[in-house]
Amino acid sequence: MNRAPLSKHLGQALTYLALIAGAAITLFPFLWMIATAFKPSHDIYSLALIPAEPTLENFRKIFAETPFARWYLNSIIVASTTTLSVAFFDALVGYILAKVNFRGRDVIFFAILSSIMIPTEMLIIPWYIGATKAGIVDTYLGTMFPGLITAFGIFLMRQFMDSIPSDLLDAGRIDGLGEFGIFWKIALPNVRPALAALCIFTFLGNWNAFLWPVIAIESPEMRTLPVGLSFFSYENFNQYELVMAGATMAVVPVLIVFAFFQKQIIKGITLTGIK
């Protein structure tokens, strides 16, 4: 008589077991990376997640033998500046394409939308030629310029700006606000969840970016963290404890962002999926 509830509980138990197994498989490499960062060289092949002889020597060597602090600063500058630029310009362009009527608006939006379909690898050569002619190779601007304005961000903000009632914007015009004032004081606050999601994704994407920075950066001092760690791991391929220490330091900002903005990240994924 109790077969139905029993089968339901059994199904739930199997589901939880599968989720736990999947989480364990996913988390083990990450936890092993952190554990290895604190292990001495003679203990790195141990699979133990708690080091028998924990040490901070690996982190000291990283900062002593490489310009790791400079790489960290470079990544912070590039990711933060790019995020601020995307937040302002993508929202502004999205507002113009959604709420300002002018000839050719739909053609411009279609052209921007079409550029999303172009693989990044196909744009590397034009970017590099342009950066070389402008003399910005191996500079912060040269590293950042491909991501200062993004087609996806414009598309996303345009979709959310389009959902703002036009009557609300007209009320601002009646109160004497200019077009930029309407954008800044009325439109932007109404798309704050989408803007927060865009900022988070942009920061994480630029923090982890590798392909363009490894091409645009020539001097060791200008390397971002992914590029610096790539060269460092190549030069110290048999010193896994140092490589893991560097990788652990690199993921700290990502963990901080996720810890403080996990609700916005989940909400952003939901919102962008709906749009």
Side-chain angles (χ1 to χ4, degrees), residues 133-182:
K133 290 185 176 180
I136 57 175
V137 173
D138 202 33
T139 64
Y140 286 126
L141 180 59
T143 307
M144 294 186 295
F145 86 88
L148 292 176
I149 302 178
T150 64
F152 173 75
I154 292 173
F155 166 69
L156 180 66
M157 297 312 300
R158 188 261 185 191
Q159 297 302 97
F160 279 92
M161 292 289 185
D162 195 45
S163 64
I164 299 175
S166 297
D167 292 342
L168 185 61
L169 305 183
D170 290 338
R173 294 186 180 97
I174 293 172
D175 288 340
L177 286 175
E179 208 61 45
F180 184 80
I182 294 172

Side-chain angles (χ1 to χ4, degrees), residues 2-261:
N2 295 324
R3 288 182 179 178
L6 182 61
S7 61
K8 180 180 179 181
H9 291 312
L10 181 60
Q12 289 179 344
L14 291 175
T15 301
Y16 286 130
L17 286 174
L19 291 174
I20 292 171
I25 293 172
T26 304
L27 287 174
F28 180 79
F30 177 73
L31 296 177
W32 184 82
M33 174 192 73
I34 296 176
T36 305
F38 292 93
K39 292 177 181 179
S41 57
H42 63 268
D43 195 33
I44 60 173
Y45 293 104
S46 168
L47 294 180
L49 296 182
I50 300 178
E53 304 173 19
T55 177
L56 295 175
E57 182 64 17
N58 300 327
F59 296 95
R60 189 197 65 78
K61 286 184 178 179
I62 282 284
F63 283 97
E65 298 176 6
T66 69
F68 194 83
R70 178 62 187 270
W71 298 345
Y72 224 95
L73 178 63
N74 292 341
S75 286
I76 291 173
I77 291 174
V78 170
S80 300
T81 305
T82 305
T83 300
L84 291 174
S85 175
V86 165
F88 178 76
F89 289 108
D90 285 15
L92 182 59
V93 175
Y95 169 78
I96 292 172
L97 292 176
K99 293 301 182 181
V100 179
N101 293 317
F102 59 92
R103 184 176 297 178
R105 182 182 68 172
D106 293 337
V107 175
I108 294 173
F109 178 64
F110 179 76
I112 293 173
L113 198 60
S114 300
S115 67
I116 299 177
M117 305 175 189
I118 303 175
T120 302
E121 291 77 8
M122 294 182 63
L123 299 173
I124 292 295
I125 295 177
W127 286 348
Y128 187 77
I129 293 175
T132 302
K133 290 185 176 180
I136 57 175
V137 173
D138 202 33
T139 64
Y140 286 126
L141 180 59
T143 307
M144 294 186 295
F145 86 88
L148 292 176
I149 302 178
T150 64
F152 173 75
I154 292 173
F155 166 69
L156 180 66
M157 297 312 300
R158 188 261 185 191
Q159 297 302 97
F160 279 92
M161 292 289 185
D162 195 45
S163 64
I164 299 175
S166 297
D167 292 342
L168 185 61
L169 305 183
D170 290 338
R173 294 186 180 97
I174 293 172
D175 288 340
L177 286 175
E179 208 61 45
F180 184 80
I182 294 172
F183 158 75
W184 188 258
K185 295 182 178 180
I186 299 177
L188 209 56
N190 277 278
V191 295
R192 191 174 297 166
L195 187 63
L198 179 62
C199 289
I200 292 169
F201 295 149
T202 301
F203 181 86
L204 295 179
N206 282 277
W207 183 267
N208 295 318
F210 177 79
L211 181 59
W212 171 246
V214 78
I215 294 173
I217 297 172
E218 297 176 353
S219 59
E221 293 76 17
M222 288 301 299
R223 291 172 182 167
T224 55
L225 266 179
V227 178
L229 286 175
S230 175
F231 280 93
F232 180 76
S233 62
Y234 177 78
E235 296 166 358
N236 300 271
F237 65 92
N238 60 340
Q239 294 181 290
Y240 297 111
E241 70 279 9
L242 298 183
V243 176
M244 293 301 104
T248 300
M249 289 291 295
V251 301
V252 168
V254 178
L255 294 178
I256 292 174
V257 169
F258 183 77
F260 284 95
F261 301 103

